[in-house]
């Protein structure tokens, strides 16, 4: 099977959150209204174990003013070619599918949360009810078993989300960039090369940081060995404490036979 990718064109996203709702419907995820933040009209605010697709609202400039503009970005797991989550998973629960999606097998996940800290995009969350890590699956069940596109792509009314062969998505993104540049819009493609190539790429109208995307995402493995050292040191200390406790434990009283009669 070919490597498949999603292209997110922020220049034609209207922030309707249809993709967010479609994701919840297809994956049977509960609603999660976090309330009015006071800084944005966005009421879901972030990705979580129950929100695998989140439409971020970026409000630039003062209202009312001619400079004010809304920027919207439909965000999810990027299904990275170099996936930090996959590399640090100690049980092999995180795997790559034949079209390039990075998924989590809930039966094998032990809830250690190494993947949560290894993801440079803050995508993975632990579901505290099930004890299993959760995130977008790129609708592998639809795309690889049913031959359909991801639910969010189907729901998008403006075609801001497009699904297809990765090379075709890059060519489409470059066409979009050329058109936007000819209209005086500062457009860039994010995800073509980052972390070996993301399988969710973005046409952006501003710097990645404006949309909450790191400009130079890195594999965080260098932090993980330190975590293992602390874990190992903790295990050794616990072992020593247990040994001392057993050694100092008072000996069992002798049993006394009670004779009947
Ligand atoms: S975005 Fe994060 S969770 Fe998704 S594949 Fe990359 S490292 Fe893993
Ligand atoms: S459905 Fe399309 S237009 Fe609506 S928020 Fe999602 S990406 Fe934007």
């Amino acid at each position: 099977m070919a490597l498949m990718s999603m292209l997110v064109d922020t220049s034609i996203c209207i922030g309707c959150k249809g993709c967010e709702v479609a994701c919840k419907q297809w994956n049977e995820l509960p609603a999660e209204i976090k309330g009015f933040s006071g800084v944005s009209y966005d009421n879901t605010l972030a990705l979580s174990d129950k929100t695998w697709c989140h439409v971020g609202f970026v409000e630039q400039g003062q209202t009312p003013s001619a400079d004010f503009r809304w920027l919207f970005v439909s965000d999810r797991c990027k299904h990275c070619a170099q996936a930090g989550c996959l590399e640090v998973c100690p049980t092999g629960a995180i795997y790559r599918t034949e079209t390039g999606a990075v998924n989590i097998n809930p039966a094998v996940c032990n809830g250690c949360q190494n993947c949560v800290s290894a993801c440079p995009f803050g995508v993975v969350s632990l579901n505290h009810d099930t004890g299993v890590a959760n995130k977008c699956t790129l609708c592998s069940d639809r795309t690889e078993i049913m031959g359909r596109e991801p639910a969010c792509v189907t729901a998008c009314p403006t075609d801001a989300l497009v699904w297809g062969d990765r090379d075709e998505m890059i060519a489409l993104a470059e066409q979009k960039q050329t058109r936007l540049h000819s209209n005086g819009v500062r457009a860039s493609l994010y995800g073509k090369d980052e972390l070996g190539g993301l399988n969710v790429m973005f046409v952006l109208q501003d710097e990645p940081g404006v949309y909450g995307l790191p400009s130079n995402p890195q594999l965080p493995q260098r932090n993980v060995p330190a975590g293992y050292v602390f874990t190992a040191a903790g295990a050794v200390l616990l072992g020593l404490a247990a040994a001392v406790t057993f050694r100092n434990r008072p000996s069992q009283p002798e049993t006394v036979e009670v004779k009947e009669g």
Side-chain angles (χ1 to χ4, degrees):
M1 268 192 188
L3 200 56
M4 301 292 281
S5 292
M6 185 186 299
L7 181 63
V8 180
D9 182 354
T10 64
S11 73
I12 52 174
C13 175
I14 56 173
C16 68
K17 287 189 179 262
C19 48
E20 222 178 283
V21 174
C23 175
K24 284 193 178 280
Q25 190 178 30
W26 180 257
N27 294 298
E28 299 183 337
L29 298 168
E32 202 181 19
I33 303 297
K34 292 171 184 156
F36 191 62
S37 69
V39 294
S40 170
Y41 288 103
D42 177 11
N43 60 2
T44 46
L45 298 177
L47 294 171
S48 75
D49 61 300
K50 299 177 187 70
T51 300
W52 298 353
C53 168
H54 171 248
V55 181
F57 289 8
V58 182
E59 290 130 23
Q60 290 183 320
Q62 293 294 314
T63 51
S65 102
D67 294 337
F68 181 81
R69 70 169 176 170
W70 294 88
L71 296 175
F72 304 110
V73 60
S74 177
D75 195 21
R76 60 189 58 62
C77 169
K78 319 297 181 291
H79 300 271
C80 322
Q82 294 165 4
C85 61
L86 188 152
E87 294 192 16
V88 302
C89 178
T91 66
I94 304 186
Y95 63 98
R96 189 176 303 281
T97 73
E98 54 186 351
T99 61
V102 175
N103 285 341
I104 303 172
N105 181 347
V108 185
C109 172
N110 69 2
C112 71
Q113 301 189 63
N114 281 359
C115 53
V116 175
S117 49
C119 173
F121 301 100
V123 159
V124 199
S125 298
L126 186 77
N127 180 317
H128 290 278
D129 297 328
T130 61
V132 167
N134 276 307
K135 67 172 194 66
C136 156
T137 64
L138 213 48
C139 279
S140 297
D141 48 351
R142 289 171 64 97
T143 61
E144 297 180 17
I145 298 170
M146 304 167 78
R148 298 169 73 180
E149 55 190 15
C152 54
V153 175
T154 301
C156 180
T158 66
D159 287 341
L161 305 179
V162 191
W163 172 253
D165 177 273
R166 189 167 193 273
D167 290 338
E168 289 174 16
M169 292 302 100
I170 291 171
L172 177 62
E174 287 169 350
Q175 282 171 23
K176 285 172 175 281
Q177 251 184 301
T178 305
R179 180 177 50 77
L180 287 163
H181 289 164
S182 67
N183 289 333
V185 178
R186 185 176 61 167
S188 60
L189 172 57
Y190 183 91
K192 181 182 172 191
D193 301 313
E194 283 79 1
L195 292 171
L198 310 180
N199 286 319
V200 175
M201 296 176 283
F202 300 82
V203 173
L204 301 178
Q205 301 175 84
D206 208 326
E207 294 300 320
V210 168
Y211 297 89
L213 295 165
S215 56
N216 184 20
Q218 298 287 324
L219 285 175
Q221 270 85 338
R222 64 179 177 279
N223 299 329
V224 173
Y228 282 134
V229 169
F230 280 119
T231 308
V236 169
L237 285 176
L238 269 177
L240 284 174
V244 169
T245 306
F246 275 111
R247 206 169 148 206
N248 296 342
R249 200 170 60 165
S251 53
Q252 295 287 327
E254 283 176 18
T255 50
V256 179
E257 267 184 36
V258 178
K259 290 188 178 158
E260 288 181 11

